């Protein structure tokens, strides 16, 4: 009985791991404009006794372990990994706080496109200071302080702007 439970556990884990790996590779390729990203078990013969190695190959660069990547490259890989898990375990919404902070404009634009393509399955709430991300958003909320109060402005990004834009003031 225990052997069967262990076998079933390993089969379920491997099915989930393989799906996340496929998602990661596809997303990493999109986010990097043709790079190759792979997740590999350190001990495939006993997947629960080892970790996961992350291999990254950015366009024009050699394949290497994720630990040898720059901060910006690791950010791209981490975002691809988060989104790969998101595709496997969907939730109705996600809140990201400046996940694009270490990305350049090109990679931020690619991230915005991936999020836009995925937004038909889940809602993404994103805090960002990057113009590229803001311009690709469906809706923008601006929060600023005025006279000791927080002001929130909501601006639609699709279609022509409406004069009755939402404006709220909170203490």
């Amino acid at each position: 009985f225990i052997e069967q439970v262990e076998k079933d556990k390993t089969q379920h884990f491997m099915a989930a791991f393989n799906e996340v790996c496929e998602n990661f590779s596809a997303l990493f390729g999109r986010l990097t404009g043709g790079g190759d990203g792979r997740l590999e078990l350190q001990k495939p013969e006993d997947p629960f006794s080892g970790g996961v190695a992350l291999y990254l190959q950015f366009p024009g660069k050699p394949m290497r372990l994720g630990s040898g990547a720059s901060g910006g490259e690791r950010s791209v890989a981490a975002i691809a990994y988060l989104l790969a898990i998101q595709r496997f375990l969907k939730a109705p919404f996600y809140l990201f706080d400046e996940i694009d902070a270490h990305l350049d404009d090109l990679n931020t634009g690619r991230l915005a496109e991936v999020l836009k393509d995925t937004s038909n399955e889940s809602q993404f709430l994103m805090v960002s200071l990057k113009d590229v991300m803001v311009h690709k958003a469906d809706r923008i909320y601006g929060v600023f302080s005025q006279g000791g109060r927080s002001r929130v402005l909501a601006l639609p990004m699709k279609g022509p702007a409406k004069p009755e834009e939402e404006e709220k003031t909170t203490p």
Side-chain angles (χ1 to χ4, degrees):
F1 173 75
I2 297 294
E3 286 177 18
Q4 185 61 42
V5 169
E6 289 297 318
K7 182 179 174 186
D8 290 347
K9 178 178 80 171
T10 301
Q11 285 177 341
H12 287 291
F13 172 80
M14 290 307 299
F17 179 76
N18 289 333
E19 187 174 335
V20 170
C21 287
E22 289 174 22
N23 293 341
F24 177 77
S25 292
L27 286 161
F28 187 82
R30 279 194 66 196
L31 289 173
T32 61
D36 181 22
R38 286 186 261 148
L39 301 172
E40 293 182 8
L41 292 171
Q42 291 175 334
K43 294 186 178 180
E45 68 283 352
D46 187 11
F48 302 112
S49 67
V52 175
L54 175 70
Y55 292 95
L56 308 172
Q57 183 175 15
F58 286 82
K61 295 186 177 183
M63 179 71 74
R64 64 179 170 227
L65 275 169
S67 60
S70 71
E73 290 172 339
R74 280 190 253 172
S75 292
V76 170
I79 292 166
Y81 185 66
L82 284 172
L83 294 174
I85 293 171
Q86 177 269 330
R87 283 189 175 176
F88 178 72
L89 295 171
K90 292 181 177 34
F93 75 92
Y94 298 88
L95 175 61
F96 293 135
D97 185 9
E98 295 189 59
I99 62 170
D100 58 348
H102 296 287
L103 303 182
D104 60 16
D105 285 348
L106 180 63
N107 287 316
T108 300
R110 289 179 183 147
L111 172 60
E113 290 299 323
V114 167
L115 293 177
K116 190 172 273 300
D117 291 347
T118 310
S119 67
N120 61 352
E121 301 169 7
S122 297
Q123 183 177 20
F124 293 92
L125 305 172
M126 174 98 173
V127 175
S128 179
L129 300 175
K130 302 272 185 141
D131 288 342
V132 174
M133 187 64 73
V134 170
H135 288 294
K136 294 193 183 245
D138 290 335
R139 187 175 269 297
I140 297 173
Y141 294 94
V143 181
F144 61 95
S145 177
Q146 185 177 44
R149 303 181 135 231
S150 293
R151 304 249 332 183
V152 178
L153 297 174
L155 305 169
M157 293 305 291
K158 285 191 173 181
K162 298 176 186 172
E164 68 274 2
E165 301 300 341
E166 300 171 37
E167 186 173 323
K168 298 177 183 175
T169 304
T170 58

